[in-house]
Amino acid sequence: MKISAAILALAVSSANAFAPSASVGRTATNLYGGGNMEPVDRTMNGIDDNLGYEAFDPTAGDSPAVARNNNGGVWVQQRARPRRNRKSAGVRAMVRENIVTPANFIYPLFIHDEDHNTEIPSMPGCQRHSAESMLKEIGESLELGVKAFVLFPKVADDKKTNLACEAYNPEGIVHRSIRMIKEKYPDAIVCTDVALDPYSDQGHDGVVEDGVILNDVTINQLCKQAVSQARAGADIVAPSDMQDGRVKAIRDALDSEGFTNVSILSYTAKYASAYYGPFRDALDSHPGFGDKKTYQQDPANGREALIEAALDAQEGADMLMVKPGMPYLDIIRRLKDNSDLPIAAYHVSGEYAMLKAAVERGWLDEKDVVLETLTCFKRAGADIILTYYAKQAAQWMKEDGLY
């Protein structure tokens, strides 16, 4: 709620009704855990006597900038003092508006058909996981309170085609992984990416003809992919392709096969961003030609996201996603203000890599900047946060006793 100028003026003008009862020169309570705690003479009398020049005295004159209270101490006649709600960790926690917990996270995991893990140079700390490592990572994350995971596969080149038929192979890497996760951790929430680019020899999210991504033909393939993932046990399917009408088609396809409880997390406002490079390194899925600007949104456009959100909601989406995250906090807020559906933010690979690079150089404190970043998503309106920091952030939160 905005406070009017009149109310603020009233608060200030009435501040001289009562003076603080604190005694002059008392030792302040150490609320900050450090610093010089020698008593300060609150009268401030004589502190400039030996400067060798004449300093301005805010308490002097007919219209002093600073008054004196009943005890002679300097006093700014301000009744409303927002700092009172920040004076200690306990008070700050009591009035905190937004709190992030591991339950808000979806943890993206890269997987491949190898018996070993492979480091991703542009994403320090992330790996392409073997099946065994994937299960171990999920088990450890579940213990920390992270409940949801989304799988992104690196597919062998000899399985990639323009029609991306491998995307709906029931024995494909994603489908086998879903079954393994559900068998070992039945309470884990498994999300899947619905898009053709990991399986496409063109590196695009759809079927290509003469350099054009075919919207309706692509949706035909996406419906097969989503149903096959639901059959394998996926709890949530997340179409990231940005084809027009795909949410309705996927919803109808799922419902017609009896998967009415499988949720759709739609990549509603997915922008044609430069922040995706490390992700494409991880999946070896860089576009084979051109870019994705004919189907992903223009970074210059904000209102357009509201069109996409309205369509996705009408077509049956259960949750709406904004991607990337930090550079698009305004879009998260727009969707939050205009939709009753839960809003997700994807803290994408480029954002992750930027933080890692600054941390490696000693420019940022990793824990502090990551937890602040995740809180910013929540403050902007995100209910769900996809982040490669999910497990590490959950560990930090546990260590700090935040949950």
Side-chain angles (χ1 to χ4, degrees):
M1 180 183 297
K2 293 183 179 179
I3 302 175
S4 69
I7 294 175
L8 282 173
L10 177 63
V12 172
S13 65
S14 61
N16 58 2
F18 297 96
S21 59
S23 60
V24 176
R26 70 175 180 178
T27 301
T29 302
N30 184 357
L31 301 177
Y32 308 102
N36 180 6
M37 296 311 298
E38 294 181 3
V40 174
D41 180 0
R42 304 298 177 85
T43 70
M44 306 298 284
N45 288 329
I47 64 169
D48 297 330
D49 288 351
N50 299 318
L51 292 179
Y53 56 86
E54 184 176 350
F56 168 68
D57 182 358
T59 67
D62 295 334
S63 301
V66 178
R68 292 192 178 274
N69 62 27
N70 293 344
N71 303 296
V74 295
W75 175 34
V76 177
Q77 298 182 38
Q78 171 73 18
R79 176 173 289 178
R81 294 184 181 240
R83 284 187 57 185
R84 283 195 285 263
N85 287 341
R86 309 174 199 142
K87 64 185 176 183
S88 70
V91 172
R92 290 193 298 273
M94 182 172 62
V95 302
R96 187 161 291 135
E97 298 175 30
N98 297 284
I99 299 173
V100 180
T101 75
N104 297 123
F105 298 150
I106 297 178
Y107 188 8
L109 293 174
F110 299 112
I111 55 176
H112 64 175
D113 261 330
E114 303 288 349
D115 60 3
H116 59 274
N117 289 4
T118 301
E119 299 292 333
I120 303 168
S122 56
M123 297 182 68
C126 289
Q127 301 174 317
R128 299 188 191 110
H129 290 274
S130 66
E132 181 180 0
S133 176
M134 174 194 70
L135 292 174
K136 180 175 181 292
E137 189 76 0
I138 288 174
E140 293 174 355
S141 300
L142 287 168
E143 291 180 0
L144 292 169
V146 179
K147 306 295 185 184
F149 308 86
V150 59
L151 304 177
F152 292 106
K154 182 186 183 302
V155 178
D157 287 344
D158 61 3
K159 294 182 179 180
K160 295 181 180 182
T161 63
N162 186 29
L163 294 178
C165 297
E166 182 65 16
Y168 46 88
N169 179 357
E171 295 305 318
I173 180 173
V174 169
H175 303 75
R176 285 182 280 113
S177 297
I178 295 169
R179 292 194 292 267
M180 283 188 283
I181 295 168
K182 282 300 185 179
E183 181 178 355
K184 190 172 181 65
Y185 304 111
D187 293 332
I189 301 169
V190 179
C191 308
T192 55
D193 179 45
V194 179
L196 303 185
D197 49 324
Y199 310 90
S200 169
D201 60 6
Q202 304 297 308
H204 276 277
D205 294 43
V207 178
V208 178
E209 182 182 74
D210 295 330
V212 176
I213 285 70
L214 302 179
N215 192 94
D216 297 9
V217 171
T218 296
I219 290 175
N220 183 75
Q221 299 300 83
L222 297 177
C223 288
K224 297 178 188 178
Q225 184 182 20
V227 168
S228 70
Q229 292 169 348
R231 287 173 176 165
D235 300 289
I236 301 171
V237 296
S240 64
D241 58 287
M242 290 299 289
Q243 307 302 303
D244 293 338
R246 91 277 203 207
V247 172
K248 179 183 184 299
I250 290 171
R251 182 73 273 162
D252 290 346
L254 291 170
D255 290 354
S256 69
E257 289 297 302
F259 297 111
T260 56
N261 285 333
V262 172
S263 306
I264 295 179
L265 167 57
S266 175
Y267 285 64
T268 294
K270 182 178 181 181
Y271 284 85
S273 172
Y275 284 88
Y276 304 150
F279 177 93
R280 293 169 182 168
D281 293 342
L283 298 189
D284 189 20
S285 62
H286 290 270
F289 65 91
D291 52 42
K292 301 189 177 186
K293 293 179 181 179
T294 64
Y295 48 101
Q296 295 178 356
Q297 283 185 239
D298 186 337
N301 293 350
R303 294 193 306 273
E304 186 179 17
L306 299 180
I307 298 173
E308 295 283 0
L311 287 170
D312 286 358
Q314 292 168 7
E315 293 176 18
D318 300 288
M319 295 162 270
L320 309 177
M321 189 195 300
V322 176
K323 181 182 180 182
M326 281 295 287
Y328 294 83
L329 293 179
D330 61 315
I331 307 301
I332 296 171
R333 173 47 58 188
R334 288 194 193 203
L335 263 60
K336 187 68 171 181
D337 289 343
N338 288 278
S339 176
D340 293 327
L341 293 178
I343 306 300
Y346 200 141
H347 186 213
V348 301
S349 60
E351 300 169 59
Y352 173 88
M354 288 165 63
L355 292 182
K356 281 290 186 180
V359 168
E360 286 179 357
R361 287 160 176 76
W363 296 342
L364 294 174
D365 180 280
E366 186 170 25
K367 174 183 174 182
D368 289 348
V369 76
V370 168
L371 295 180
E372 179 181 343
T373 297
L374 299 176
T375 301
C376 289
F377 289 131
K378 194 71 178 290
R379 188 194 65 237
D383 305 287
I384 304 158
I385 304 167
L386 290 81
T387 177
Y388 303 101
Y389 272 112
K391 180 184 175 185
Q392 180 63 76
Q395 180 65 51
W396 286 327
M397 291 174 182
K398 183 176 182 179
E399 291 170 356
D400 289 348
L402 299 179
Y403 73 96

